[in-house]
Structure formats: structure tokens, C-alpha cells
Amino acid sequence: MNELAGKHIVLGLSGGVACYKAADLCRQLIKEGATVQVVMTEAAGQFITPVTMQALSGRPVYGSQWDAREPNNMPHINLSRDADAIVIAPCSADFVARLAQGRADELLSLLCLARPAASVPLLLAPAMNREMWSHPATQRNLQQVARDGALVLGVGHGDQACGETGDGRMLEPHELLDELVASLTPKVLAGHTVLVTAGPTFEAIDPVRGITNLSSGKMGFALARAAREAGADVTLVAGPVHLETPRGVRRVDVRSAVEMAEAVHALVADATIFVATAAVADWRPASPSTQKIKKDGSGNTPALAFVENPDILAAVAQSPRAQAGELLCVGFAAESHDLIAHATAKRQRKGVPLLVGNIGPATFGQDDNALVLVDANGHRELPRAPKRVLARQLIEDIAARCR
Ligand code: CTP
């Protein structure tokens, strides 16, 4: 999936060891379909050569405001007008200070100053030693550039090139890519607080065994990511899955349906949208053993009694805020057959305005899926596509219902 198809990105490098990661970032941007124009400060050239960046981007690198290649001799204007976004990675402490002062004595800070601020986002990926990062001057400058409209990305924590350990590592290229994609996504859910459940639940039989299902959590994680990209504040309540938390999403890990219900009830008061993608176990063993159940050699099997789990979605949908229209509830249905009929009946049974149906065996664990959206007016199909694409389409549909 080409996340950046048709986008033109100015990738600016200032001086820092993390320039080696900028080479990988450049490759990833191009792999996602972007065209990339690299601009380097003189200091960046001490860490990586323009030859490398030209080879990776397929374009000559710019480094001087006096570059005569531009017919009008105004590279700062032309480069910033052509861009869909400007990403400074690495952004050194010195470069932040230059931006904070509005300096314009070399090409990269000059083109940042000249960028059309309303239409071209400026993303800064700081990279520096931990003492430089935590210095009040740096923090003051970062606050200033953020107030001036730049999007200041976070930093990583860990081993630093200088041998020290702490905050100040540049984010990894795939994290920067996610931030860039998010910055270019229309903010159709700005101001909304979204709560998503995802994954299976695990219902213990004894300390080492339990009952679960084949839900991978991928659809719920993709939805959480799409909601965050669309500008929402997002919390993801996740059953036991090994998926990376989408950037900028708060995650609460749970195991059983009862734990998931408790987490949701504690969080839902702040939400304006609740999306239940989790494949919650319908039943749990009535009295899980505190010790491992052993075979006794008789050939007899243990008798398991079950009790029904709380229906999280139905309970939230019945809450006063949902009934008053302050909280939009969206359910999912994983069926094996007669999808539209089952989804239509389930929507009414759960009391939700929108229910999203899919064929369970065809989606569990897959990276793509097909959905049918069922509401009071009928149904609409979203044809088979990567879950990431479907998640975006669903978020657009949900946003339209919130307007
Ligand atoms: N759900 C829930 N809590 C439960 C069971 C289901 O919140 N205890 C939610 C799911 O997250 C999903 C929707 O309800 O959004 C439908 O889940 P599904 O398992 O398909 O429906 P069930 O009510 O369990 O019906 P059945 O298994 O009989 O098809």
C-alpha cells in the first residue's frame, strides 16, 4: 500500500549522527510512493554525503541558498512551494535554535521560514545528546517553534552515540513515516475521544490453560490508528495480542472479558465514539481452578461448567450518554454465513446505530478483509481491501455520522 502516493516531501538534514537513519527514512518515503527532495545543512554533510542522499532520492541534493540551478535563483521559494510537507530529520539542537529565532542565513532554515505555513506542515524530528535535549534553552526553543506552527515529534529513549543513555534519540524511520502520514490526513475526528476494543479475550480454565479465539486484533488496531490519524484522542483496550501499539494511541492491555468490561466502563465516560471490534468470549469457565488440573490416569475428562460473560457493547449502548446521542456506539459482527441477515438482527439486538459485519473465518489473522456497514437505512458494502484502507473508510463513515 502506497501511503504517500503523489506526495512530494522535502527531507531536511541538519547535523547529527542520526543522519544515518535519514538515509533509511528517505528510502522508506520513496517506497511509499513519495518523491523526495533532500536539503542538507553544511553540518549534515559532516555526517553523511550528498552523494548517498542523491543516490537514494534520485535527485540532486540542495545545500546552498545561492544554488544557481534554479532559473529564478530562489531555491527557498521553489522548494517550499513544491512540497506537501517538510520533514527535518535529524533536527539538531542548533537547528531548533535557528528556527526559534527565524534565522535565514542558510538554505534549510531559510526555506522553513519561507514555507507557506497554512498548507505545508513542518515536522521536526529532534536528535541530540540527553543533556542537550533536557537543557532549558532547547526545551524553550522547542516550545517556541511549536507555538510558531511546527509539529515537534518526540524522541526515543536509550543508548546514545556518545555512550550515554537517556532521552534524545531520533525516532526510528518507520515511526517518522507514521507521523508524516498522520500529519497529511484530514482531521475529520478532531475534538473526538475514541475508545476501541480489539483482539480476543482469554478465559482461564486453570493457571496454564484457557479458552480463546482466532481474532488477531488487526482490524481494531488499524481503526485505532486511523482514528488517531484523523485527529481523535484514542484509547485502545486490547486483549492478548502481540501487535505494535499505533503511534499516539493509549493502550490498556486486558486478558479476560470481565477485565475488558471493567476497563471499558472506566474509560467510556470520556469517549464520544465507542467501537467494539473485540471478539469477546461469550462464556467463561464458571470456576477456574487455582491449580493446574492434572490427568489422574482414569481416562475421565474434567467437567467444565460455563457462565455467560457481560456483553460490553450492549451495556455501553444502553448507557444514558449513548441513548442521548452523546456517545456513538459501533459494533462488529463476525459471522460464518448469512452475513447481512445476521448483522441486521445483531444491530437491533445490541441497540447500536451502526454495525459492521464481516465473515470471521475469512478475516481472522488476515491483512485484508471485506466489510458490510449496516444501519437503520440498510446496508453498504466496503469491498475487499487491506484492513488499513477499510479502517480509514470506516473512520470517514463514522465521522460523517458525527457531523
Ligand atoms: N461484544 C461485546 N461483549 C460481548 C460479546 C460481544 O462487547 N460479551 C461485542 C463485540 O465486540 C462486537 C459485537 O458485540 O462488536 C458482536 O459480537 P459477536 O461475538 O459477533 O456477537 P455475539 O453477541 O457474541 O453473538 P453471536 O456470538 O451469538 O453471534
Side-chain angles (χ1 to χ4, degrees), residues 112-195:
C112 288
L113 194 67
R115 97 185 203 281
S119 57
V120 182
L122 171 64
L123 287 77
L124 308 180
M128 64 199 74
N129 164 269
R130 65 191 175 106
E131 298 290 357
M132 295 166 73
W133 169 253
S134 61
H135 195 286
T138 303
Q139 292 302 318
R140 194 167 59 235
N141 288 335
L142 285 166
Q143 282 171 16
Q144 182 61 55
V145 295
R147 268 200 300 275
D148 292 345
L151 182 59
V152 179
L153 307 177
V155 290
H157 178 92
D159 294 343
Q160 303 201 308
C162 51
E164 297 178 5
T165 303
D167 289 336
R169 285 170 57 95
M170 189 171 83
L171 294 181
E172 297 305 316
H174 75 276
E175 296 173 313
L176 296 177
L177 181 64
D178 287 355
E179 293 286 1
L180 177 60
V181 170
S183 79
L184 294 170
T185 305
K187 298 290 173 264
V188 292
L189 285 185
H192 279 280
T193 302
V194 177
L195 181 62

Side-chain angles (χ1 to χ4, degrees), residues 276-278 280-282 310-313 331-335 346 349-350:
T277 72
V280 185
D282 290 316
D311 191 322
I312 304 167
L313 176 63
F332 267 66
E335 307 292 344
K346 198 168 278 183
R349 202 169 69 239
K350 302 263 179 182

Side-chain angles (χ1 to χ4, degrees), residues 62 64-75:
Y62 279 78
S64 163
Q65 74 268 46
W66 310 120
D67 197 316
R69 277 174 294 182
E70 295 295 306
N72 61 358
N73 222 311
M74 297 184 191

Side-chain angles (χ1 to χ4, degrees), residues 49-260:
T49 67
V51 175
T52 299
M53 297 310 293
Q54 176 172 351
L56 291 173
S57 64
R59 287 165 177 254
V61 170
Y62 279 78
S64 163
Q65 74 268 46
W66 310 120
D67 197 316
R69 277 174 294 182
E70 295 295 306
N72 61 358
N73 222 311
M74 297 184 191
H76 62 300
I77 300 293
N78 304 345
L79 295 176
S80 59
R81 296 313 181 264
D82 288 345
D84 289 297
I86 301 171
V87 184
I88 309 295
C91 184
S92 66
D94 178 62
F95 198 75
V96 178
R98 303 175 67 77
L99 290 179
Q101 286 188 3
R103 300 283 290 267
D105 53 359
E106 54 80 36
L107 179 59
L108 193 55
S109 43
L110 173 58
L111 78 86
C112 288
L113 194 67
R115 97 185 203 281
S119 57
V120 182
L122 171 64
L123 287 77
L124 308 180
M128 64 199 74
N129 164 269
R130 65 191 175 106
E131 298 290 357
M132 295 166 73
W133 169 253
S134 61
H135 195 286
T138 303
Q139 292 302 318
R140 194 167 59 235
N141 288 335
L142 285 166
Q143 282 171 16
Q144 182 61 55
V145 295
R147 268 200 300 275
D148 292 345
L151 182 59
V152 179
L153 307 177
V155 290
H157 178 92
D159 294 343
Q160 303 201 308
C162 51
E164 297 178 5
T165 303
D167 289 336
R169 285 170 57 95
M170 189 171 83
L171 294 181
E172 297 305 316
H174 75 276
E175 296 173 313
L176 296 177
L177 181 64
D178 287 355
E179 293 286 1
L180 177 60
V181 170
S183 79
L184 294 170
T185 305
K187 298 290 173 264
V188 292
L189 285 185
H192 279 280
T193 302
V194 177
L195 181 62
V196 181
T197 64
T201 63
F202 178 92
E203 311 299 330
I205 294 172
D206 69 16
V208 295
R209 303 184 183 93
I211 294 169
T212 186
N213 60 62
L214 292 173
S215 167
S216 64
K218 285 180 181 170
M219 192 68 220
F221 276 61
L223 265 170
R225 176 175 174 180
R228 185 260 171 171
E229 287 172 352
D233 183 65
V234 184
T235 303
L236 181 58
V237 178
V241 291
H242 299 283
L243 293 175
E244 196 178 333
T245 311
R247 278 197 71 69
V249 169
R250 201 174 310 107
R251 175 174 181 168
V252 178
D253 283 318
V254 296
R255 205 162 83 132
S256 66
V258 169
E259 283 176 22
M260 185 174 276

